[in-house]
């Protein structure tokens, strides 16, 4: 029996309409779909009749399946000649552990492909009206993880990020927000820097809370912000208010 193919697919940031055409084709033709926690159910509904769906999602402190088991299952199904889709939220190569799974497959001699998805930073930038870059305000941005592999605050160089990047996007940072805020302030980033918390970005349940870096922890606590959520810090957060005002003015003129 010929070996199958594993497609490591990015499902996008939450809105099922943001899936790529290529990714949707793989979902519709798959024999097996191994999917993560944040994958929209509407995408799973696109699977053909008879396709095997296997949940292997991870929540903070709760893993339904170990990473080692996921790799073994992907290889085993493909070795049986099946077309396998490993469906991940966002993009597989941006905090998605897609590289780790690709290495496991390569070592096992299994054919694989990577199909990119819209990562959360890009998706929520658009849905929240907060540009990652903006002429005259932000010419650079960085995406970092706020939580390390052991569950503690990430070991990223907050001292460098405090001054070298215009827009900072922090994934998986809500549980470590007090420490992240402290690190940035300690290394000289102004507490008045505009900031936003974006919960469930691009979905119908999206919440956007804006303030300043110095207010972030108290805002998250008072609004009971939960994962999945992104933290965005930088002057470009102020563009959101300008765009909202312009939208409201345009809508008023149309209805008037």
């Amino acid at each position: 029996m010929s070996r199958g193919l594993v497609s490591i697919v990015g499902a996008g940031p939450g809105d099922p309409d943001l899936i790529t055409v290529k990714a949707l084709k793989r979902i519709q033709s798959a024999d097996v779909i191994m999917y993560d926690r944040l994958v929209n159910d509407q995408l799973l509904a696109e699977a053909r009749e008879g396709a095997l769906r296997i949940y292997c999602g991870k929540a903070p402190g709760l893993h339904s399946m170990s990473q080692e088991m996921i790799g073994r299952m992907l290889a085993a199904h493909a070795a049986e000649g099946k077309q396998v889709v490993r469906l991940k939220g966002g993009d597989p190569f941006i905090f998605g552990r897609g590289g780790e799974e690709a290495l496991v497959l390569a070592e096992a001699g299994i054919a694989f492909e990577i199909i990119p998805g819209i990562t959360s930073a890009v998706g929520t930038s658009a849905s929240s009206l907060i540009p990652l870059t903006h002429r005259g305000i932000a010419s650079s941005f960085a995406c970092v993880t706020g939580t390390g592999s052991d569950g503690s605050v990430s070991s990223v160089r907050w001292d460098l990020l405090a001054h070298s990047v215009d827009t900072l996007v922090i994934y998986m940072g809500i549980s470590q927000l007090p420490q992240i805020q402290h690190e940035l302030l300690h290394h000289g980033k102004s507490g008045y820097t505009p900031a936003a918390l974006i919960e469930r970005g691009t979905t119908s349940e999206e919440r956007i809370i804006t303030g300043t870096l110095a207010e972030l922890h108290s805002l998250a606590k008072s609004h009971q912000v939960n994962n999945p959520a992104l933290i965005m810090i930088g002057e470009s957060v102020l563009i959101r208010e300008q765009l909202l005002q312009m939208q409201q003015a345009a809508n008023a003129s149309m209805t008037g």
Side-chain angles (χ1 to χ4, degrees), residues 116-131:
I118 296 175
T119 189
S120 297
V122 173
T124 57
S125 168
S127 65
S128 65
L129 302 180
I130 300 173

Side-chain angles (χ1 to χ4, degrees), residues 64 156 214:
S64 64
V156 300

Side-chain angles (χ1 to χ4, degrees), residues 21-242:
V21 173
K22 188 171 185 178
L24 183 59
K25 288 179 179 178
R26 292 297 186 273
I27 293 169
Q28 292 169 336
S29 62
D31 299 309
V32 179
I33 300 175
M34 296 179 62
Y35 64 97
D36 280 348
R37 180 173 65 96
L38 299 180
V39 170
N40 194 294
D41 288 342
Q42 292 182 44
L43 294 178
L44 295 174
E46 293 289 336
R48 66 174 181 79
E49 186 176 352
L52 178 63
R53 301 172 182 84
I54 302 172
Y55 176 71
C56 48
K58 300 179 180 71
L62 181 62
H63 293 187
S64 64
M65 190 181 298
S66 70
Q67 192 64 35
E68 292 75 16
M69 177 61 75
I70 291 171
R72 287 198 297 268
M73 289 186 68
L74 288 171
H77 284 296
E80 294 173 354
K82 295 176 181 177
Q83 300 300 304
V84 183
V85 165
R86 176 69 174 102
L87 194 57
K88 296 173 166 292
D91 180 271
F93 276 4
I94 302 179
F95 305 121
R97 304 189 75 169
E100 296 174 47
E101 291 171 5
L103 284 170
V104 170
L105 295 169
E107 290 170 359
I110 301 295
F112 67 90
E113 63 178 350
I114 309 297
I115 299 178
I118 296 175
T119 189
S120 297
V122 173
T124 57
S125 168
S127 65
S128 65
L129 302 180
I130 300 173
L132 295 174
T133 64
H134 190 82
R135 187 183 296 272
I137 293 178
S139 59
S140 63
F141 71 92
C143 300
V144 301
T145 176
T147 303
S149 59
D150 62 353
S152 63
V153 66
S154 172
S155 59
V156 300
R157 293 293 302 274
W158 300 108
D159 55 333
L160 300 179
L161 289 170
H163 302 288
S164 61
V165 175
D166 295 319
T167 307
L168 186 58
V169 184
I170 305 170
Y171 289 62
M172 299 170 283
I174 296 301
S175 64
Q176 304 295 339
L177 189 50
Q179 294 91 329
I180 293 169
Q181 180 179 334
H182 169 77
E183 287 287 337
L184 291 171
L185 293 173
H186 174 72
H187 291 294
K189 196 163 189 68
S190 172
Y192 295 105
T193 305
L197 300 164
I198 307 168
E199 183 183 81
R200 297 189 177 276
T202 78
T203 73
S204 59
E205 300 174 321
E206 180 179 74
R207 285 201 302 161
I208 304 165
I209 301 155
T210 59
T212 65
L213 172 59
E215 299 170 327
L216 270 184
H217 181 222
S218 60
L219 286 172
K221 190 173 181 179
S222 62
H223 289 275
Q224 298 182 327
V225 175
N226 294 307
N227 286 313
L230 280 186
I231 304 163
M232 296 182 68
I233 301 170
E235 296 297 328
S236 62
V237 172
L238 296 177
I239 301 299
R240 168 178 163 78
E241 188 60 34
Q242 296 179 37

